[in-house]
Amino acid sequence: MYMLLTGRGMQILLSKEVTVWFKKKPVAVEVFIFNKEAEVMAPKWFLKAIQNEKIFIDRRLEDERSVVYGCTIHSQYGKLRAYIGDYILKGPSGEIWPCKKKMFKKLYERL
Protein backbone atom coordinates (compact mmCIF):
# COMPACT_ATOMS: atom_id res chain seq x y z
CA MET A 1 0.00 0.00 0.00
CA TYR A 2 1.33 3.43 -0.91
CA MET A 3 0.14 6.82 0.35
CA LEU A 4 0.15 9.81 -1.94
CA LEU A 5 -0.06 13.26 -0.37
CA THR A 6 -1.78 15.86 -2.48
CA GLY A 7 -2.44 19.56 -1.98
CA ARG A 8 -4.66 20.73 0.89
CA GLY A 9 -3.61 17.84 3.12
CA MET A 10 -5.58 15.20 1.18
CA GLN A 11 -4.31 11.65 1.26
CA ILE A 12 -4.93 9.03 -1.40
CA LEU A 13 -4.12 5.38 -0.76
CA LEU A 14 -2.68 3.57 -3.74
CA SER A 15 -2.33 -0.17 -4.07
CA LYS A 16 0.40 -2.16 -5.80
CA GLU A 17 -2.42 -3.99 -7.58
CA VAL A 18 -3.53 -2.61 -10.91
CA THR A 19 -6.88 -4.41 -10.83
CA VAL A 20 -9.24 -4.95 -7.95
CA TRP A 21 -11.93 -7.66 -7.90
CA PHE A 22 -15.59 -6.88 -7.21
CA LYS A 23 -18.62 -9.14 -7.01
CA LYS A 24 -21.92 -8.03 -8.52
CA LYS A 25 -24.70 -7.42 -6.00
CA PRO A 26 -27.71 -9.69 -6.43
CA VAL A 27 -30.55 -7.96 -8.26
CA ALA A 28 -34.08 -9.28 -8.72
CA VAL A 29 -35.40 -8.99 -12.28
CA GLU A 30 -38.78 -9.63 -13.91
CA VAL A 31 -38.59 -12.15 -16.73
CA PHE A 32 -40.66 -13.68 -19.50
CA ILE A 33 -39.79 -15.87 -22.45
CA PHE A 34 -40.36 -14.16 -25.79
CA ASN A 35 -42.76 -16.05 -28.06
CA LYS A 36 -44.93 -15.51 -31.15
CA GLU A 37 -47.84 -14.28 -28.99
CA ALA A 38 -45.74 -11.63 -27.20
CA GLU A 39 -47.96 -8.79 -28.41
CA VAL A 40 -50.96 -10.38 -26.68
CA MET A 41 -49.58 -12.56 -23.89
CA ALA A 42 -46.77 -10.56 -22.30
CA PRO A 43 -46.31 -8.60 -19.06
CA LYS A 44 -47.76 -5.10 -18.93
CA TRP A 45 -44.27 -3.54 -18.82
CA PHE A 46 -43.38 -5.23 -22.13
CA LEU A 47 -46.63 -4.11 -23.79
CA LYS A 48 -46.11 -0.57 -22.48
CA ALA A 49 -42.57 -0.55 -23.93
CA ILE A 50 -44.10 -1.50 -27.31
CA GLN A 51 -46.61 1.37 -27.04
CA ASN A 52 -43.78 3.77 -26.11
CA GLU A 53 -41.75 2.54 -29.09
CA LYS A 54 -38.93 1.21 -26.93
CA ILE A 55 -39.58 -2.27 -28.33
CA PHE A 56 -40.51 -3.18 -31.90
CA ILE A 57 -41.86 -6.59 -32.88
CA ASP A 58 -39.91 -8.08 -35.82
CA ARG A 59 -41.89 -9.94 -38.48
CA ARG A 60 -41.33 -11.69 -41.78
CA LEU A 61 -43.70 -12.99 -44.45
CA GLU A 62 -44.26 -16.74 -44.60
CA ASP A 63 -46.85 -18.08 -47.03
CA GLU A 64 -48.28 -14.57 -47.37
CA ARG A 65 -48.74 -14.31 -43.58
CA SER A 66 -46.93 -12.01 -41.19
CA VAL A 67 -45.04 -14.13 -38.63
CA VAL A 68 -43.30 -12.84 -35.48
CA TYR A 69 -39.70 -14.02 -35.24
CA GLY A 70 -38.22 -11.60 -32.69
CA CYS A 71 -38.11 -8.08 -31.35
CA THR A 72 -35.77 -5.11 -31.27
CA ILE A 73 -35.24 -3.41 -27.91
CA HIS A 74 -34.00 0.18 -27.91
CA SER A 75 -31.84 0.53 -24.80
CA GLN A 76 -29.20 2.89 -23.48
CA TYR A 77 -26.66 0.54 -25.12
CA GLY A 78 -28.27 0.73 -28.56
CA LYS A 79 -30.49 -1.73 -30.40
CA LEU A 80 -30.65 -5.18 -28.86
CA ARG A 81 -32.27 -8.13 -30.63
CA ALA A 82 -34.27 -10.97 -29.11
CA TYR A 83 -35.65 -14.02 -30.87
CA ILE A 84 -38.32 -16.62 -30.09
CA GLY A 85 -37.25 -18.48 -26.94
CA ASP A 86 -34.99 -15.71 -25.61
CA TYR A 87 -35.60 -14.32 -22.14
CA ILE A 88 -36.64 -10.67 -21.82
CA LEU A 89 -35.63 -9.09 -18.51
CA LYS A 90 -36.70 -5.93 -16.73
CA GLY A 91 -34.35 -4.57 -14.08
CA PRO A 92 -35.18 -2.59 -10.94
CA SER A 93 -34.64 0.74 -12.73
CA GLY A 94 -36.98 -0.20 -15.58
CA GLU A 95 -34.24 -1.12 -18.06
CA ILE A 96 -35.17 -3.93 -20.46
CA TRP A 97 -32.75 -6.29 -22.17
CA PRO A 98 -32.72 -9.73 -23.84
CA CYS A 99 -30.77 -12.76 -22.65
CA LYS A 100 -30.16 -16.07 -24.38
CA LYS A 101 -31.53 -19.12 -22.56
CA LYS A 102 -28.12 -20.67 -21.90
CA MET A 103 -26.71 -17.46 -20.40
CA PHE A 104 -29.88 -16.86 -18.39
CA LYS A 105 -29.67 -20.33 -16.80
CA LYS A 106 -26.04 -19.65 -15.92
CA LEU A 107 -26.64 -16.21 -14.31
CA TYR A 108 -30.10 -16.32 -12.72
CA GLU A 109 -32.10 -18.48 -10.35
CA ARG A 110 -35.77 -18.36 -9.43
CA LEU A 111 -36.74 -16.55 -6.21
mmCIF file of all heavy atoms in Angstrom, residues 84-107:
data_model
loop_
_atom_site.group_PDB
_atom_site.id
_atom_site.type_symbol
_atom_site.label_atom_id
_atom_site.label_comp_id
_atom_site.label_asym_id
_atom_site.label_seq_id
_atom_site.Cartn_x
_atom_site.Cartn_y
_atom_site.Cartn_z
ATOM 1 N N ILE A 84 -37.415 -15.682 -30.754
ATOM 2 C CA ILE A 84 -38.324 -16.621 -30.093
ATOM 3 C C ILE A 84 -37.506 -17.528 -29.170
ATOM 4 O O ILE A 84 -36.489 -18.085 -29.572
ATOM 5 C CB ILE A 84 -39.078 -17.477 -31.140
ATOM 6 C CG1 ILE A 84 -39.879 -16.590 -32.095
ATOM 7 C CG2 ILE A 84 -39.961 -18.518 -30.462
ATOM 8 C CD1 ILE A 84 -40.987 -15.793 -31.473
ATOM 9 N N GLY A 85 -37.945 -17.637 -27.915
ATOM 10 C CA GLY A 85 -37.249 -18.481 -26.939
ATOM 11 C C GLY A 85 -36.252 -17.746 -26.066
ATOM 12 O O GLY A 85 -35.799 -18.271 -25.058
ATOM 13 N N ASP A 86 -35.904 -16.509 -26.435
ATOM 14 C CA ASP A 86 -34.992 -15.710 -25.606
ATOM 15 C C ASP A 86 -35.751 -15.175 -24.395
ATOM 16 O O ASP A 86 -36.968 -14.999 -24.427
ATOM 17 C CB ASP A 86 -34.420 -14.524 -26.390
ATOM 18 C CG ASP A 86 -33.375 -14.931 -27.412
ATOM 19 O OD1 ASP A 86 -32.952 -16.105 -27.402
ATOM 20 O OD2 ASP A 86 -32.987 -14.072 -28.219
ATOM 21 N N TYR A 87 -35.025 -14.910 -23.352
ATOM 22 C CA TYR A 87 -35.602 -14.324 -22.143
ATOM 23 C C TYR A 87 -35.528 -12.807 -22.260
ATOM 24 O O TYR A 87 -34.517 -12.261 -22.697
ATOM 25 C CB TYR A 87 -34.823 -14.780 -20.914
ATOM 26 C CG TYR A 87 -35.056 -16.227 -20.559
ATOM 27 C CD1 TYR A 87 -34.567 -17.258 -21.347
ATOM 28 C CD2 TYR A 87 -35.785 -16.561 -19.424
ATOM 29 C CE1 TYR A 87 -34.784 -18.586 -21.028
ATOM 30 C CE2 TYR A 87 -36.011 -17.892 -19.086
ATOM 31 C CZ TYR A 87 -35.505 -18.897 -19.899
ATOM 32 O OH TYR A 87 -35.733 -20.208 -19.581
ATOM 33 N N ILE A 88 -36.609 -12.128 -21.866
ATOM 34 C CA ILE A 88 -36.642 -10.669 -21.823
ATOM 35 C C ILE A 88 -36.690 -10.288 -20.347
ATOM 36 O O ILE A 88 -37.552 -10.765 -19.606
ATOM 37 C CB ILE A 88 -37.872 -10.090 -22.557
ATOM 38 C CG1 ILE A 88 -37.987 -10.668 -23.979
ATOM 39 C CG2 ILE A 88 -37.810 -8.572 -22.566
ATOM 40 C CD1 ILE A 88 -36.870 -10.292 -24.912
ATOM 41 N N LEU A 89 -35.748 -9.457 -19.916
ATOM 42 C CA LEU A 89 -35.627 -9.092 -18.508
ATOM 43 C C LEU A 89 -35.906 -7.615 -18.298
ATOM 44 O O LEU A 89 -35.588 -6.798 -19.163
ATOM 45 C CB LEU A 89 -34.212 -9.395 -18.009
ATOM 46 C CG LEU A 89 -33.792 -10.855 -17.964
ATOM 47 C CD1 LEU A 89 -33.428 -11.374 -19.327
ATOM 48 C CD2 LEU A 89 -32.629 -11.028 -17.042
ATOM 49 N N LYS A 90 -36.490 -7.317 -17.143
ATOM 50 C CA LYS A 90 -36.703 -5.930 -16.735
ATOM 51 C C LYS A 90 -36.040 -5.750 -15.380
ATOM 52 O O LYS A 90 -36.359 -6.439 -14.415
ATOM 53 C CB LYS A 90 -38.181 -5.602 -16.632
ATOM 54 C CG LYS A 90 -38.433 -4.169 -16.174
ATOM 55 C CD LYS A 90 -39.921 -3.924 -15.988
ATOM 56 C CE LYS A 90 -40.117 -2.587 -15.313
ATOM 57 N NZ LYS A 90 -41.179 -2.634 -14.334
ATOM 58 N N GLY A 91 -35.093 -4.822 -15.308
ATOM 59 C CA GLY A 91 -34.350 -4.566 -14.081
ATOM 60 C C GLY A 91 -35.087 -3.627 -13.146
ATOM 61 O O GLY A 91 -36.136 -3.081 -13.480
ATOM 62 N N PRO A 92 -34.534 -3.418 -11.952
ATOM 63 C CA PRO A 92 -35.180 -2.587 -10.939
ATOM 64 C C PRO A 92 -35.334 -1.124 -11.338
ATOM 65 O O PRO A 92 -36.211 -0.427 -10.832
ATOM 66 C CB PRO A 92 -34.271 -2.727 -9.720
ATOM 67 C CG PRO A 92 -32.985 -3.254 -10.224
ATOM 68 C CD PRO A 92 -33.276 -3.986 -11.491
ATOM 69 N N SER A 93 -34.534 -0.658 -12.279
ATOM 70 C CA SER A 93 -34.640 0.742 -12.732
ATOM 71 C C SER A 93 -35.487 0.871 -13.989
ATOM 72 O O SER A 93 -35.534 1.928 -14.604
ATOM 73 C CB SER A 93 -33.247 1.315 -12.999
ATOM 74 O OG SER A 93 -32.476 1.289 -11.827
ATOM 75 N N GLY A 94 -36.117 -0.229 -14.409
ATOM 76 C CA GLY A 94 -36.975 -0.200 -15.585
ATOM 77 C C GLY A 94 -36.274 -0.540 -16.887
ATOM 78 O O GLY A 94 -36.904 -0.589 -17.931
ATOM 79 N N GLU A 95 -34.982 -0.784 -16.838
ATOM 80 C CA GLU A 95 -34.245 -1.124 -18.055
ATOM 81 C C GLU A 95 -34.676 -2.515 -18.536
ATOM 82 O O GLU A 95 -34.959 -3.397 -17.747
ATOM 83 C CB GLU A 95 -32.732 -1.061 -17.824
ATOM 84 C CG GLU A 95 -32.160 -2.094 -16.878
ATOM 85 C CD GLU A 95 -32.279 -1.784 -15.391
ATOM 86 O OE1 GLU A 95 -33.093 -0.947 -14.992
ATOM 87 O OE2 GLU A 95 -31.547 -2.432 -14.616
ATOM 88 N N ILE A 96 -34.729 -2.674 -19.846
ATOM 89 C CA ILE A 96 -35.167 -3.932 -20.459
ATOM 90 C C ILE A 96 -34.065 -4.421 -21.382
ATOM 91 O O ILE A 96 -33.492 -3.643 -22.148
ATOM 92 C CB ILE A 96 -36.473 -3.726 -21.260
ATOM 93 C CG1 ILE A 96 -37.583 -3.255 -20.317
ATOM 94 C CG2 ILE A 96 -36.883 -5.006 -21.974
ATOM 95 C CD1 ILE A 96 -38.871 -2.854 -21.021
ATOM 96 N N TRP A 97 -33.774 -5.726 -21.301
ATOM 97 C CA TRP A 97 -32.752 -6.291 -22.175
ATOM 98 C C TRP A 97 -33.039 -7.767 -22.413
ATOM 99 O O TRP A 97 -33.689 -8.428 -21.614
ATOM 100 C CB TRP A 97 -31.348 -6.095 -21.590
ATOM 101 C CG TRP A 97 -31.040 -6.911 -20.364
ATOM 102 C CD1 TRP A 97 -30.402 -8.118 -20.318
ATOM 103 C CD2 TRP A 97 -31.356 -6.583 -19.001
ATOM 104 N NE1 TRP A 97 -30.292 -8.549 -19.017
ATOM 105 C CE2 TRP A 97 -30.877 -7.627 -18.188
ATOM 106 C CE3 TRP A 97 -32.008 -5.517 -18.392
ATOM 107 C CZ2 TRP A 97 -31.021 -7.640 -16.808
ATOM 108 C CZ3 TRP A 97 -32.159 -5.527 -17.017
ATOM 109 C CH2 TRP A 97 -31.660 -6.572 -16.242
ATOM 110 N N PRO A 98 -32.542 -8.309 -23.545
ATOM 111 C CA PRO A 98 -32.723 -9.728 -23.840
ATOM 112 C C PRO A 98 -31.560 -10.555 -23.291
ATOM 113 O O PRO A 98 -30.474 -10.029 -23.025
ATOM 114 C CB PRO A 98 -32.720 -9.756 -25.366
ATOM 115 C CG PRO A 98 -31.790 -8.646 -25.736
ATOM 116 C CD PRO A 98 -31.982 -7.580 -24.673
ATOM 117 N N CYS A 99 -31.823 -11.838 -23.122
ATOM 118 C CA CYS A 99 -30.775 -12.756 -22.653
ATOM 119 C C CYS A 99 -31.042 -14.124 -23.267
ATOM 120 O O CYS A 99 -32.172 -14.614 -23.231
ATOM 121 C CB CYS A 99 -30.812 -12.825 -21.125
ATOM 122 S SG CYS A 99 -29.455 -13.758 -20.396
ATOM 123 N N LYS A 100 -30.026 -14.725 -23.831
ATOM 124 C CA LYS A 100 -30.156 -16.071 -24.383
ATOM 125 C C LYS A 100 -30.398 -17.071 -23.259
ATOM 126 O O LYS A 100 -29.919 -16.898 -22.126
ATOM 127 C CB LYS A 100 -28.892 -16.473 -25.154
ATOM 128 C CG LYS A 100 -28.629 -15.631 -26.379
ATOM 129 C CD LYS A 100 -29.672 -15.929 -27.425
ATOM 130 C CE LYS A 100 -29.417 -15.132 -28.688
ATOM 131 N NZ LYS A 100 -30.580 -15.145 -29.559
ATOM 132 N N LYS A 101 -31.140 -18.132 -23.561
ATOM 133 C CA LYS A 101 -31.532 -19.119 -22.557
ATOM 134 C C LYS A 101 -30.329 -19.695 -21.805
ATOM 135 O O LYS A 101 -30.341 -19.781 -20.577
ATOM 136 C CB LYS A 101 -32.318 -20.248 -23.227
ATOM 137 C CG LYS A 101 -32.809 -21.293 -22.272
ATOM 138 C CD LYS A 101 -33.631 -22.358 -22.993
ATOM 139 C CE LYS A 101 -34.167 -23.371 -21.995
ATOM 140 N NZ LYS A 101 -35.037 -24.350 -22.663
ATOM 141 N N LYS A 102 -29.298 -20.068 -22.524
ATOM 142 C CA LYS A 102 -28.119 -20.672 -21.901
ATOM 143 C C LYS A 102 -27.457 -19.718 -20.901
ATOM 144 O O LYS A 102 -27.107 -20.103 -19.782
ATOM 145 C CB LYS A 102 -27.126 -21.083 -22.987
ATOM 146 C CG LYS A 102 -25.951 -21.870 -22.483
ATOM 147 C CD LYS A 102 -25.083 -22.336 -23.640
ATOM 148 C CE LYS A 102 -23.909 -23.145 -23.146
ATOM 149 N NZ LYS A 102 -23.056 -23.592 -24.251
ATOM 150 N N MET A 103 -27.319 -18.454 -21.278
ATOM 151 C CA MET A 103 -26.711 -17.458 -20.398
ATOM 152 C C MET A 103 -27.630 -17.171 -19.207
ATOM 153 O O MET A 103 -27.162 -17.017 -18.079
ATOM 154 C CB MET A 103 -26.417 -16.175 -21.175
ATOM 155 C CG MET A 103 -25.662 -15.142 -20.375
ATOM 156 S SD MET A 103 -24.054 -15.716 -19.746
ATOM 157 C CE MET A 103 -23.102 -15.828 -21.231
ATOM 158 N N PHE A 104 -28.929 -17.114 -19.464
ATOM 159 C CA PHE A 104 -29.881 -16.860 -18.389
ATOM 160 C C PHE A 104 -29.782 -17.950 -17.315
ATOM 161 O O PHE A 104 -29.720 -17.660 -16.122
ATOM 162 C CB PHE A 104 -31.314 -16.792 -18.937
ATOM 163 C CG PHE A 104 -32.329 -16.523 -17.880
ATOM 164 C CD1 PHE A 104 -32.579 -15.219 -17.466
ATOM 165 C CD2 PHE A 104 -33.030 -17.562 -17.282
ATOM 166 C CE1 PHE A 104 -33.506 -14.975 -16.458
ATOM 167 C CE2 PHE A 104 -33.949 -17.323 -16.289
ATOM 168 C CZ PHE A 104 -34.189 -16.022 -15.872
ATOM 169 N N LYS A 105 -29.757 -19.205 -17.737
ATOM 170 C CA LYS A 105 -29.671 -20.334 -16.798
ATOM 171 C C LYS A 105 -28.374 -20.277 -15.983
ATOM 172 O O LYS A 105 -28.330 -20.692 -14.838
ATOM 173 C CB LYS A 105 -29.757 -21.664 -17.542
ATOM 174 C CG LYS A 105 -31.050 -21.866 -18.278
ATOM 175 C CD LYS A 105 -32.177 -22.163 -17.351
ATOM 176 C CE LYS A 105 -33.447 -22.499 -18.141
ATOM 177 N NZ LYS A 105 -34.610 -22.618 -17.314
ATOM 178 N N LYS A 106 -27.333 -19.752 -16.569
ATOM 179 C CA LYS A 106 -26.036 -19.651 -15.916
ATOM 180 C C LYS A 106 -26.020 -18.530 -14.863
ATOM 181 O O LYS A 106 -25.398 -18.661 -13.810
ATOM 182 C CB LYS A 106 -24.986 -19.357 -16.983
ATOM 183 C CG LYS A 106 -23.575 -19.533 -16.575
ATOM 184 C CD LYS A 106 -22.699 -19.207 -17.796
ATOM 185 C CE LYS A 106 -21.461 -20.042 -17.780
ATOM 186 N NZ LYS A 106 -20.585 -19.742 -18.908
ATOM 187 N N LEU A 107 -26.733 -17.404 -15.150
ATOM 188 C CA LEU A 107 -26.637 -16.207 -14.310
ATOM 189 C C LEU A 107 -27.760 -16.018 -13.297
ATOM 190 O O LEU A 107 -27.565 -15.338 -12.294
ATOM 191 C CB LEU A 107 -26.593 -14.961 -15.205
ATOM 192 C CG LEU A 107 -25.399 -14.827 -16.129
ATOM 193 C CD1 LEU A 107 -25.571 -13.611 -17.026
ATOM 194 C CD2 LEU A 107 -24.122 -14.732 -15.336
#
